[in-house]
Each structure stands twice: as C-alpha cells, then as structure tokens.
Amino acid sequence: MRFLLRRFQRLVIVMAAVTFVTFILVNVLPGDVAYEMAGMDASEAEVAEIREEIGLNRPLPIRYLEWVGGVFTGDWGRSFINEEDVWHAITQRFPVSIELMLLAQVMALALAVPMGMISAYRPDSRADRIIAGVAFASVSMPSFMTGLLLIYFFSLTLGWLPATGYEPLSAGLWANLKPMILPALSLALVEWTVLMRTLRAEMIGVLQEDYISLARAKGMSNARILWGHALRPSSFTMLTILGLQVARLMGGTIIIEQIFGIPGVGRLLIHAVYTRDFIVIQGCVTFFALAFVLVNFAVDIAYAWLDPRVRQGGKAHG
Amino acid sequence: MADIAAHTKSAASQSEAATQDANAAAIAAFEKRNRMGPFMWLPIIWLCIVIALALFAPLLGLLPADEMDFMALKAAPGAADGHLLGTDHLGRDLFSRVIYGGRVSLTVGFAAPAIGVGLGLILGMAAGYYRGWIDDVVGIAIDTWLAIPGLVILLLFAVVFGGSLFMVCLSLGLLFIPTAARITRAATMKYAGREFVLAARAMGASDRRILVKEILPNVIWPLIAFVLIDIPIAIVVEGALSFLGLSVKAPTPSWGGIIAEGREHLESSPHIALIPTAVMFLTVLSFNLVGDTIRRRMSDVREGAI
Amino acid sequence: MGEIILDVVNQRTAFPTKRGMLQAVNGVNLTLERGRTLGVVGESGSGKSVLARSIMGLLPRAAQTGPGSSVHLNGRDLTALSERELRPIRGREVSTVFQDPMTALNPTLTVGAQLIEGLRHHLGMPKRAARARAIELLRSVGLPQPETRVDQFPHQLSGGMRQRVAIAIAISCEPDLLIADEPTTALDVTVQAEILDLLQRQVRERNMAMILITHDMGVVAVRCDDVAVMYAGRIVEQAPVRELFQRTRMPYTAALLSSIPRITDGPHRRLDAIGGRPPDLIHPPAGCAFAPRCKFASDPCQGVMPALEGDERHRFACHTPLQVEAVA
Ligand SMILES: Nc1ncnc2c1ncn2[C@@H]1O[C@H](COP(=O)(O)OP(=O)(O)OP(=O)(O)O)[C@@H](O)[C@H]1O
Ligand SMILES: [Mg+2]
C-alpha cells in the first residue's frame, strides 16, 4: 500500500509539470492564437476582439489555474475552429485509439513471447540468430514504412484487407476488427522486438536457475518448463517495458491513425496541429500524458500480481 | 573390478591425445564469435556510399531535386532517359530527391543525438555532482519529459517553432536528454566518491576543474555507445515527422516527405514510395548493425580490461 | 548382495571454456544397491555436483560427456536415451534435492502447484487426489499445517521448511534413487540434523537408494553406508564407511578426516584445512592430481596417474598409500 501511495504522489507532481509545460508552450511562445484565428488579412481591431473574447488578455497564471481547474471538472475548453467540446472530442475518439493500441500490444506479445522463448531456449543457435536478424530488420523499419508496405501488399496487391477506414463495434466484431488488423500489425512489428529481447535476456538467466533444473529433474516437458515455470519469473522486465512502450505506442498511433484513416485521438491531434487549434492540442497532449502516467501506475500493480514477493510488501528481486 | 580399472586407464591415455584437439576446438569456438562478418562490412560500405553521396551531392551534377520534367511524370525506374530511379508525380528526378533527402536525414541523424547527449551530459553531471535541489529539479524535469510521448513533444514544437532544419535537430535532440542525463548522473555519482576526485578536491581544485578534468573523461564513454544507438532513432523519428509534413518545409526533399507523397500514388506508381523506403530502411539497418557491433566490442574491451 | 539400482561406468564430463576443456568429472565408476546410502565427499570443485548432474542427465547444453561413459539405472542405459525418453524416468525413478532451498523452488508458483505437477505427470492422478496426496506428503516430511502451507509461495516459508518441501517433491513419486546434493549446507545448524534425519528415514521407509553429497566427513560417518572420496573429478578412495574410517589409505582422505568440524567450529566451515590449491582442471598435472599438496608424494606420483585399485570392498588411487595393519 505504501508504495502505491508514493507512486501516486509522483503521479501528481508529474501531471502538474506536464500541464504547466504544455500550457506555457502553447500560450507563451511565438504564434499568437488570436492571429491564427483571425486569419491572414484581419485588422488589428479584429485580432484584439478575438483576444478579448477567448480571454487571452488576462494574466497567464490565472488562465493556467482556470484551465487546470477545468481539466479536473471535465471542462477542457472548446475548439477554436469548430466549437467542439475538447473533452467530448477526446473521449469520443479515445476508445478507438485504445482498441488500436491493445490490439497492437497483443500482436506484439504474441510474436515476442514465443520468439523470445525459442531464442532463450538455445542462445546462439541457428534459430536464435535468425530471430535476432528478423528483429534487427524489424526495428529498422519504422511503423509508417511498415504500414505502407502492408497496405501495398495486403490491400493493393492481394486485396485481402482494407487499406483505410473504421467500423464501430456495433457493425459486428469482424467488421470492426478487419480494418484494424493492418494498422495494429504495423505498430506490433516495431514493438515486438524490444519485448522479445527483454524476455530473451531475462529468460536465459531464469533457465539457469536451480528451480528450472528441478523442474527438469521432475521430468517436465520442455513446453511445460518454458510456459509453466520459466515464463512468469522471466516477464517482470518485459512487463515494465510493455508499460513504458505505451508512450511510444501513443506516438505510433498518431502516425498510424493518420495513414489508415482511423478516427482516434492521434488523428484529432494531428488535425489540430494542421489547423493550429491550440486548445485541442493542449487537451490532447495533457490527455496523452495523463494516460501514460496512469498506464505506468497500472504496470506497477500488475507487477505486484506477477511477483508474489512484492504482494507481501517486500522487494521484487530479493 | 580389475578390468574396469584397466578400462579406465586405457581410456585415460587415449583421451590425452584427444584433449589437445578438444582444447584447440573449444578455444576456436570462443574466438569465432568475435570475428567480423559480412554483417559488419556490408553496412559500412552502404553507409559510406550514402554519406558520400549526400555530402557531395552538389558536386555530382545531379538534376535539381525540384526540377519538374513534364515529359516524364511518374516514370518507373529506367523508363525515362536521364532518370535512373524514375520520377515522382510531378516529374521530379527520384535519384536526386533521395540523395538530397538523405542530407536532411543524415544531418538530423548526427546532430540531434549530439545535441541531446551533450545537454544530457551537462544536466546529468550537474545533478550527480552537486546533488541537492539541482538533482531534484533535473529529476522531475526528466520524469515530466518522459511522461509525454516523444512524437507529441515534437508535434508541439513543430507547431510552435515551425520547421527549420535547426529547430528539427534541436527539438529532436531534446528527446535524447533524459536517458543520457540518467546514465551520466549515475556514472558521475560513482566517480565523485572515488579517491582521485577526493584527492583533486583536497588539493584545492575547483568544481569546474574536477568536473571537466576528472569526471568527464570517465563518464563520456558509456555515452558514446549511446550516441550510436540514437543515430538510427533520430533518422526514423525525423522520417516520421517529415512523413507528417512537420519537418523541414517543402519543397526541400526529405525521405519521410518523399514517402508521404508517394503514398498517394502507391497503387499506380509504387516505386515513388518504395524507393525512398528501401533506402531509408537500409540506412537505418546499417546504423543499427554497425552500432550494435561497436557497442559489443566496447563492452568486450572494458570487460577484458578489468 | 542387494538389487543394483545404479551403475555408472567411466563417467567423464567436460565443459568448453575460454581457456580450453575443463574436465570436471574424469572417469568415475560407481555402483549402488537398493536400500543403501552412498556418501560422496570432496573439496569444493572436485566435481561432486557435476557427477550428480551427469547421472540425472541435467548438464548444461555445452557440457560434453566422454565416449564410453554410461549410466545404467535399473538396468537401462540413460545416456542412450533421448530427452523425451528420459522424462518418464526423471522424478519417477531418480529424483534430486538441491543444496539451496531458496533457489530450488520456483518463486512464482505455490508449493502445492510444484508438488502436484509431478504427481499428475508421473502417476496420472486427477487434480483433487493429487492435492490430497500433496498435503499428505507435506505432512510426512514434517511440515506444520500442511493444509494451509500447500497454497503458500516459497518465500512464505523458512529455509528449513522449504527444504522439507523440496524433499517432499523429490520423494513424491516414490523414486528408486534419490540424489541429495549438499541438502543441508544452506541451512541453520539446528535444522541440519532434522533434515538429514528426515532424508534417512524416508530412504529407509521407502527402500530407496541415496547418494548424499557433502563436505562433511562427520555427516558421512553417521548417515552413509559407503563413501566415495572425490578429488579433481576422480574417485580417489572408495569403501564402506567403517572400513574407510578405520583403514584410510589415501593421504587426501586422511586430510579430509582430520578436518571433521568440531562442535567448537563455526557452522559454515568448509574443507579449507588442507594446504595448497586445488588443481587446474583444464591443464591437469600428468601424475596424481593431489601430489603437489601431498606430503608423502614421491617421484612416480608426479609422473604417473595412479589407478583406482584394491579389493572389492576397498579401492584407492595412490602410489604411496598409508600403511594399515593387515586385516585379521
Ligand atoms: N557449467 C559449467 N561450466 C564450466 N565449468 C563448470 C560448470 N559447472 C561446473 N564447472 C566446473 O566443474 C568443476 C566441478 O564443479 P562441481 O560443481 O561439481 O564441484 P563440487 O564438488 O560440487 O563443489 P562444491 O562443493 O563447491 O559444490 C569446477 O571446477 C567447476 O568450476
Ligand atoms: Mg556442488
């Protein structure tokens, strides 16, 4: 319980800092929002009017506190461009991004765990080296390139899966999943390598533990030893990485949502960037940061579930 | 029982001869692992070519990267005279565009990690040496920095500062600060307590002198390895930014930008997107392979030295 | 003569290292009958654990087993079997207790889960029956409150309790041979005797054979029927306990015997009483490996490897054995 409290304290400090930095960047640095909104050939008077209207003339600290207060009460402001409520805009699109990220992580794990095991089972074997080579190629291919290649092969050449689009879950599970496969795969094909390498490294160590020898001495099959005995104690670091990856994944979804035309928060952010819709940008950044910090919080809890020693209040690796 | 003993004895003398061979074989197996294979020199050759082409691009008599050839729109590689790799949808020569695009990618690839690791070095040394409130502030700043996805930070910077090559390098460089600072901080703390530092201080050396003369030479090595990993990352992230149109402004070509333009014509003329994709992939892969090998060597050397 | 359970012939095990082949076990012959306990003693690094692992077939992948080595368990040559063919034998016919109960149990699985899987795998017990049997086994090894302990994780148990669990796992499928590799070294002195009692009782009750690896000649004297003394990967003297203690021939054994810890010694005293360093196993000396440290060593000792010779009961490898009165 104590360690949860400490994590929570940190969470608050970091969030305060994140909102502050975002606010400063968007509001103080060059490029006055009012000019952007008024358009190229607006007169000074028109600009001044807009400033007054959206409250840009009041002192900065007040505006910051007002905005932060709003963040807590669900009032994240309204888009300068189309008047849409920012909180509503984000929460409406969020589930789509979540689905994409979850699917990507599941695919990444589905690749990483068996591959990591095969590699760790016989380090330096031919299989290990082939997997390492594939992983090398895989990380050297950023998701936007992978996405493009996947579209080229699976949509344009083979015509198996759609290149763009999104269907809500209400249209049926398969209809919903179908257009998500390629985008999720684009992300997974980058992310799996880190997971695989972490698992491999840790599992090589675990496989030399006495309790693995004991499992072998009990006559357990290799599959049972790897999945039943070695996987759990080998996945602590991988789980932490999985949480840390969410940050990268969120960056990844921005670009992937753009390529595949998926209406998630990333696309909202990019659109806001293109139209210089500052209040939406501010909202999205805050949201991403909040989501990220919360995910890491959740990872800590999952950690405690994985390692019974942490549950007892002790340390992870004692 | 006696024959078992005899058996043992003859096997022992027999194995004597075999031992020599086995020893040699075992040692050879350990050495083989450290040999330099094609996965080292092929990437090096590729990188030399790419870097040389980018560096000397203006001297090569290439077609201007933004000159449109309306007689050859979307020409496939080899299909139109004078366009080795074909042309894009505006008839611009892809060979020139990819080479000039490489200048942007490589500049960012080298400059951003240098900036980031440099700043991280200063922050990490300050935090690790002075501790106290400096350490706290740096710590919180890093946590905050890490709490925002990197690409989001870059988007924010792109909006606020616009897309000059300098700003792209700088904002991308900022992303590399946290890890560099952490590594430096840990190393600095380790060395700050060592005898040679204490001795220097006892002899009245100033903090600045201790930091530069005593600590810097020790903490800089792990960071060099770090720069090696960062180069391909910087190239990839710049690619992503320019793919989104948020890096250097058009019409300056960049790999990500050409790929993004080619995406619109993926069905009719896949080569426009696929050629820069292949070039960028090979370059990033080469940097990764070379970096990995050098890093492994460096850790071998350090292990051997102990 | 009882039924022979284990017959090890000319076992050699080597590890490739950066400096060359490390010959950890170098031509060991052993036989073991049902109901008997063989003590294996020797300094640290003499190859006891590697020998045990060679018998179980649990060597690291890099390890190389010499040609002509064989391990017969219940008449079957284990070295000729594949990993898959070994599976029904491991845990069922031969099982093991490791030195450190802190590392020998999986920290992420409950005690019960680790016990039950063997019962289900080897004896095909249904889940419920296996669980009941697990509790029964835990009770038989003297674990208090077995009904609650069965669902606990290893870190919730003390070292002694963990070793009891490890023993319960080892005996769960009624093996014919139990190999205990320094089962008490990592434990408090106060529990050491209890654990050894437990092992001895289980072996007797279930009529198993046991190999008890130890540093401690004192333990050998009380707990074993036969002794094999190992040095530099070889057995250098082998005899029934009483015979070995009364008519020690090998100077190395004598040195070990003189180092039996007294009550006044600290709990974790090792066999460091013998002067000099253990030999290099990669480039072993040509003659007797103990010669450089032996005060009786003569010329042939330096140049010629002594063979393990003697009668059926008492064998030793020495050119200059200690003199004893002829057996009456
Ligand atoms: N996996 C391995 N790779 C290389 N050498 C090894 C390996 N395992 C054991 N050895 C070497 O084999 C020799 C015998 O080791 P072993 O563990 O059998 O000794 P031991 O008699 O059990 O010692 P202790 O009393 O300390 O347990 C040692 O020199 C050891 O370094
Ligand atoms: Mg041992």
Side-chain angles (χ1 to χ4, degrees):
Chain A
M1 229 43 240
R2 275 261 313 285
F3 99 107
L4 288 187
L5 217 76
R6 218 171 330 119
R7 295 291 315 178
F8 189 73
Q9 199 180 333
R10 201 164 179 84
L11 191 153
V12 172
I13 295 178
V14 167
M15 279 319 297
V18 167
T19 50
F20 189 69
V21 169
T22 315
F23 188 82
I24 295 283
L25 275 178
V26 171
N27 289 281
V28 181
L29 294 166
D32 192 321
V33 186
Y35 279 104
E36 296 286 341
M37 289 176 66
M40 290 290 242
D41 38 35
S43 69
E44 277 300 316
E46 281 171 311
V47 173
E49 196 179 314
I50 291 176
R51 289 175 153 251
E52 190 58 47
E53 194 183 308
I54 58 176
L56 284 188
N57 286 340
R58 285 173 309 132
L60 211 68
I62 304 254
R63 276 164 51 208
Y64 172 67
L65 288 179
E66 268 178 10
W67 178 66
V68 168
V71 164
F72 281 108
T73 53
D75 174 14
W76 291 42
R78 279 177 181 282
S79 159
F80 295 146
I81 307 291
N82 59 9
E83 299 272 298
E84 193 181 0
D85 181 74
V86 174
W87 176 245
H88 179 251
I90 292 177
T91 45
Q92 197 188 19
R93 289 167 177 80
F94 187 48
V96 181
S97 300
I98 288 275
E99 185 187 348
L100 178 60
M101 282 192 267
L102 270 182
L103 210 57
Q105 290 285 47
V106 168
M107 285 181 179
L109 271 179
L111 273 171
V113 170
M115 294 297 148
M117 268 184 188
I118 293 173
S119 289
Y121 178 57
R122 285 192 192 183
D124 249 355
S125 66
R126 177 178 299 236
D128 181 26
R129 262 178 263 179
I130 290 174
I131 291 173
V134 172
F136 243 112
S138 211
V139 275
S140 302
M141 180 82 93
S143 59
F144 70 91
M145 285 186 357
T146 316
L148 219 61
L149 290 183
L150 289 178
I151 289 181
Y152 181 64
F153 286 114
F154 290 100
S155 306
L156 301 182
T157 310
L158 296 171
W160 288 354
L161 291 162
T164 55
Y166 172 77
E167 290 289 333
L169 202 56
S170 55
L173 185 63
W174 177 237
N176 168 258
L177 279 181
K178 208 170 154 186
M180 280 291 204
I181 292 176
L182 291 185
L185 194 58
S186 315
L187 291 169
L189 281 176
V190 179
E191 301 301 324
W192 77 281
T193 54
V194 185
L195 299 177
M196 186 276 287
R197 284 191 197 146
T198 329
L199 180 66
R200 175 184 180 274
E202 202 157 354
M203 196 176 254
I204 287 176
V206 164
L207 286 177
Q208 281 159 8
E209 293 280 344
D210 277 355
Y211 57 82
I212 297 299
S213 291
L214 189 68
R216 278 178 75 196
K218 280 195 285 189
M220 296 298 128
S221 65
N222 284 330
R224 177 149 180 106
I225 287 174
L226 289 173
W227 290 95
H229 286 262
L231 181 56
R232 234 176 160 192
S234 306
S235 29
F236 298 122
T237 318
M238 188 176 71
L239 218 88
T240 312
I241 302 273
L242 205 66
L244 293 174
Q245 261 185 344
V246 170
R248 276 210 352 223
L249 212 51
M250 285 199 261
T253 52
I254 295 175
I255 226 172
I256 289 299
E257 285 176 1
Q258 187 65 16
I259 294 179
F260 287 90
I262 295 168
V265 184
R267 194 131 177 263
L268 179 71
L269 173 58
I270 285 286
H271 191 71
V273 165
Y274 288 155
T275 56
R276 312 213 134 216
D277 195 346
F278 285 94
I279 191 95
V280 177
I281 296 177
Q282 191 170 296
C284 287
V285 172
T286 307
F287 186 79
F288 271 123
L290 188 67
F292 175 62
V293 175
L294 284 176
V295 165
N296 277 339
F297 192 61
V299 167
D300 285 337
I301 294 170
Y303 219 95
W305 170 78
L306 255 188
D307 189 342
R309 283 166 296 185
V310 177
R311 235 181 286 167
Q312 299 297 305
K315 268 188 158 177
H317 293 276
Chain B
M1 280 298 134
D3 56 87
I4 290 183
H7 178 62
T8 315
K9 228 193 257 175
S10 77
S13 63
Q14 190 189 331
S15 78
E16 219 85 305
T19 313
Q20 297 282 327
D21 296 348
N23 272 349
I27 293 170
F30 275 95
E31 271 168 5
K32 189 179 161 198
R33 219 176 286 168
N34 284 329
R35 247 195 329 225
M36 201 157 126
F39 288 116
M40 183 67 182
W41 52 260
L42 278 179
I44 288 183
I45 293 175
W46 171 261
L47 288 179
C48 287
I49 294 174
V50 172
I51 292 174
L53 284 176
L55 216 57
F56 302 116
L59 309 176
L60 297 177
L62 297 166
L63 290 168
D66 51 0
E67 186 185 279
M68 305 180 206
D69 180 352
F70 292 108
M71 305 310 291
L73 297 181
K74 297 196 198 179
D81 278 346
H83 300 296
L84 187 61
L85 295 179
T87 59
D88 70 2
H89 62 296
L90 296 176
R92 296 176 292 192
D93 183 61
L94 264 179
F95 189 63
S96 315
R97 287 186 70 72
V98 167
I99 288 176
Y100 277 96
R103 303 188 91 177
V104 173
S105 292
L106 292 172
T107 308
V108 175
F110 287 114
I115 293 171
V117 169
L119 291 176
L121 185 76
I122 295 169
L123 286 179
M125 277 177 52
Y129 186 75
Y130 294 108
R131 310 299 306 274
W133 65 269
I134 299 184
D135 197 12
D136 291 339
V137 169
V138 170
I140 290 179
I142 287 176
D143 275 356
T144 309
W145 213 224
L146 287 175
I148 316 177
L151 198 61
V152 174
I153 296 183
L154 289 175
L155 291 183
L156 212 56
F157 273 64
V159 188
V160 177
F161 298 111
S164 72
L165 187 57
F166 175 73
M167 280 318 296
V168 171
C169 291
L170 186 66
S171 52
L172 233 155
L174 296 181
L175 293 190
F176 296 113
I177 292 179
T179 329
R182 280 188 176 173
I183 294 175
T184 317
R185 175 178 174 275
T188 306
M189 273 163 51
K190 191 171 94 189
Y191 288 108
R194 290 280 177 88
E195 295 80 16
F196 60 87
V197 172
L198 300 179
R201 192 178 298 159
M203 283 163 60
S206 67
D207 283 344
R208 223 183 80 196
R209 197 189 155 78
I210 292 176
L211 279 170
V212 174
K213 288 262 145 108
E214 309 290 344
I215 294 183
L216 184 64
N218 284 302
V219 299
I220 206 155
W221 284 107
L223 285 178
I224 303 257
F226 199 68
V227 171
L228 290 173
I229 319 173
D230 285 347
I231 292 173
I233 296 179
I235 293 178
V236 163
V237 177
E238 193 281 331
L241 265 189
S242 55
F243 184 83
L244 289 172
L246 296 171
S247 180
V248 290
K249 291 253 184 316
T252 312
S254 65
W255 286 343
I258 308 173
I259 296 173
E261 286 165 6
R263 176 172 77 115
E264 310 295 331
H265 312 279
L266 199 54
E267 191 146 23
S268 56
S269 321
H271 72 276
I272 303 177
L274 295 188
I275 288 173
T277 298
V279 171
M280 189 172 159
F281 168 67
L282 288 176
T283 307
V284 172
L285 181 64
S286 300
F287 271 118
N288 275 334
L289 285 170
V290 173
D292 190 63
T293 312
I294 295 180
R295 213 153 25 97
R296 222 170 330 143
R297 296 249 157 155
M298 275 172 56
S299 68
D300 276 358
V301 168
R302 235 175 300 142
E303 269 166 34
I306 289 169
Chain C
M1 243 202 172
E3 169 199 358
I4 289 185
I5 291 201
L6 178 72
D7 186 13
V8 179
V9 178
N10 193 25
Q11 178 65 42
R12 319 170 150 272
T13 310
F15 298 100
T17 70
K18 276 183 195 175
R19 290 173 46 228
M21 292 301 283
L22 186 151
Q23 198 68 45
V25 172
N26 201 350
V28 165
N29 296 289
L30 277 180
T31 54
L32 190 57
E33 291 166 18
R34 186 176 284 285
R36 288 183 82 84
T37 297
L38 170 72
V40 175
V41 282
E43 281 179 302
S44 198
S46 54
K48 306 182 296 289
S49 297
V50 174
L51 174 63
R53 284 174 170 266
S54 304
I55 293 172
M56 306 269 309
L58 285 182
L59 292 165
R61 201 169 300 281
Q64 291 176 12
T65 307
S69 299
S70 73
V71 175
H72 285 263
L73 183 70
N74 289 328
R76 211 165 0 156
D77 185 2
L78 298 188
T79 47
L81 299 184
S82 69
E83 191 76 6
R84 181 180 292 271
E85 290 166 321
L86 279 170
R87 251 180 255 152
I89 296 173
R90 288 188 185 143
R92 183 78 179 89
E93 292 180 34
V94 53
S95 70
T96 183
V97 176
F98 286 126
Q99 170 175 344
D100 189 354
M102 301 295 178
T103 58
L105 297 178
N106 192 323
T108 59
L109 297 176
T110 62
V111 165
Q114 299 184 53
L115 248 174
I116 287 168
E117 77 178 345
L119 295 170
R120 286 172 59 84
H121 173 69
H122 288 297
L123 309 180
M125 284 191 179
K127 236 181 188 149
R128 224 164 244 272
R131 190 186 151 84
R133 177 94 179 98
I135 293 173
E136 199 181 303
L137 278 163
L138 290 177
R139 184 173 292 120
S140 79
V141 294
L143 196 74
Q145 304 136 4
E147 294 85 357
T148 50
R149 296 291 186 194
V150 75
D151 293 319
Q152 288 186 336
F153 288 94
H155 72 270
Q156 291 167 290
L157 308 181
S158 71
M161 287 200 264
R162 281 187 231 190
Q163 199 61 309
R164 284 175 196 275
V165 171
I167 292 173
I169 292 175
I171 60 174
S172 60
C173 301
E174 312 261 327
D176 303 301
L177 172 65
L178 180 65
I179 301 178
D181 190 350
E182 304 189 35
T184 58
T185 312
L187 301 177
D188 273 2
V189 223
T190 44
V191 256
Q192 287 187 358
E194 290 175 27
I195 294 293
L196 289 168
D197 283 340
L198 172 64
L199 276 172
Q200 216 174 358
R201 196 174 61 240
Q202 295 292 343
V203 167
R204 213 168 280 149
E205 276 173 14
R206 291 164 205 268
N207 197 24
M208 301 185 269
M210 175 159 78
I211 295 179
L212 180 63
I213 296 174
T214 174
H215 278 128
D216 188 343
M217 275 293 191
V219 168
V220 171
V222 194
R223 314 280 177 180
C224 300
D225 303 306
D226 304 285
V227 201
V229 179
M230 280 191 80
Y231 187 77
R234 296 171 196 266
I235 292 182
V236 292
E237 183 160 16
Q238 188 174 12
V241 167
R242 189 173 272 269
E243 165 79 13
L244 186 100
F245 275 67
Q246 285 175 353
R247 276 184 281 278
T248 310
R249 304 303 301 271
M250 174 71 195
Y252 175 64
T253 313
L256 286 184
L257 282 173
S258 68
S259 69
I260 292 182
R262 332 266 143 184
I263 301 168
T264 47
D265 291 337
H268 292 296
R269 218 185 66 122
R270 294 217 144 196
L271 292 178
D272 50 9
I274 309 173
R277 300 157 111 261
D280 181 355
L281 296 175
I282 296 173
H283 305 290
C288 172
F290 187 59
R293 303 163 72 184
C294 180
K295 52 186 167 194
F296 305 101
S298 61
D299 281 347
C301 299
Q302 311 285 355
V304 184
M305 171 73 65
L308 188 64
E309 283 163 336
D311 58 26
E312 181 87 19
R313 273 173 65 74
H314 193 157
R315 286 182 289 146
F316 52 91
C318 190
H319 293 305
T320 57
L322 304 175
Q323 293 308 308
V324 292
E325 319 89 77
V327 191

